Amino acid sequence: MAESTWPAEPLILAAQGGDLESLTALVCGSHPNVRKFAYSLCASPEDAEDAAQEALIILYRRIGMLRASGALASWMFRIVRNECLRRTRLVPRERAPLQDTAVRSAEDEVLQRMEAARVARAISALPEDQRRVLIMRDIQGYSGRMAADALGLSTAAMKSRLHRARAALQDSLLGAPGGNDEDR
């Protein structure tokens, strides 16, 4: 079985320039890779198909936002990953029984607020340089390059800070399952 490849750079550049035929060929040529990645990430085949379609729609609409033509694969994989994650978060809400919805939603809302407050406290306890990169990447959704540029860092330095921030946040959250008594 042959390994599928991504469309060539001239096709990507032509699509970015607005050539409709190139854009159509780019979307069609990217479909097998996007679909394969969606199937590897999503919980169900239906979600994978939906995520792949959504990613291809985003490719069609936003190809002009792609900065480097060589980054098409990583850009598309990130879009698919985000779409699969979004769909995973929707699953429990969509499949909850109707009778329990009112009771569960009030309880879930309280628990969600408590957890959000705990995460916010843990993030605010991070050193400022780590907190800024974590917020830009994981909350605001900046790309690595954009976050690094905005912070005046190299990509490697940004990644290092992000890794330290995530590790510290994880340690903080795992080390304090219910929060500290002094916070209550």
Side-chain angles (χ1 to χ4, degrees):
M1 184 161 144
E3 183 75 23
S4 57
T5 60
W6 286 91
E9 187 171 353
L11 183 65
I12 297 169
L13 292 172
Q16 284 179 306
D19 181 44
L20 189 57
E21 286 181 28
S22 297
L23 182 55
T24 302
L26 178 64
V27 170
C28 292
S30 299
H31 184 257
N33 295 307
V34 168
R35 191 169 183 257
K36 181 192 279 183
F37 191 63
Y39 269 86
S40 72
L41 284 180
C42 289
S44 70
E46 296 82 14
D47 283 348
E49 286 296 330
D50 290 346
Q53 289 300 317
E54 186 64 31
L56 292 171
I57 290 169
I58 290 170
L59 170 64
Y60 184 82
R61 290 181 179 164
R62 298 186 180 165
I63 187 64
M65 294 176 67
L66 180 64
R67 291 186 183 208
S69 58
L72 177 66
S74 61
W75 187 56
M76 291 306 300
F77 286 160
R78 183 172 179 168
I79 291 169
V80 171
R81 183 196 70 197
N82 290 342
E83 187 61 25
C84 289
L85 289 172
R86 186 183 72 76
R87 290 178 179 287
T88 300
R89 278 179 261 173
L90 293 176
V91 168
R93 285 185 227 139
E94 291 174 349
R95 296 186 184 159
L98 291 176
Q99 299 170 347
D100 296 339
T101 303
V103 174
R104 289 172 127 189
S105 65
E107 184 178 326
D108 286 346
E109 187 176 327
V110 169
L111 291 173
Q112 188 174 12
R113 285 184 186 176
M114 288 172 59
E115 184 65 15
R118 194 166 79 88
V119 170
R121 280 194 308 271
I123 290 172
S124 66
L126 291 172
E128 184 179 349
D129 61 332
Q130 292 179 12
R131 184 174 57 247
R132 288 178 65 201
V133 74
L134 180 88
I135 289 171
M136 290 181 83
R137 290 284 287 133
D138 293 349
I139 297 172
Q140 295 175 333
Y142 280 62
S143 70
R145 179 79 263 155
M146 288 173 58
D149 289 346
L151 296 170
L153 300 170
S154 67
T155 302
M158 183 279 307
K159 287 180 179 180
S160 177
R161 284 187 189 174
L162 181 60
H163 175 74
R164 287 193 307 268
R166 287 174 175 165
L169 184 61
Q170 183 177 14
D171 287 347
S172 175
L173 293 173
L174 292 177
N180 296 333
D181 288 336
E182 62 194 41
D183 290 341
R184 292 184 189 155

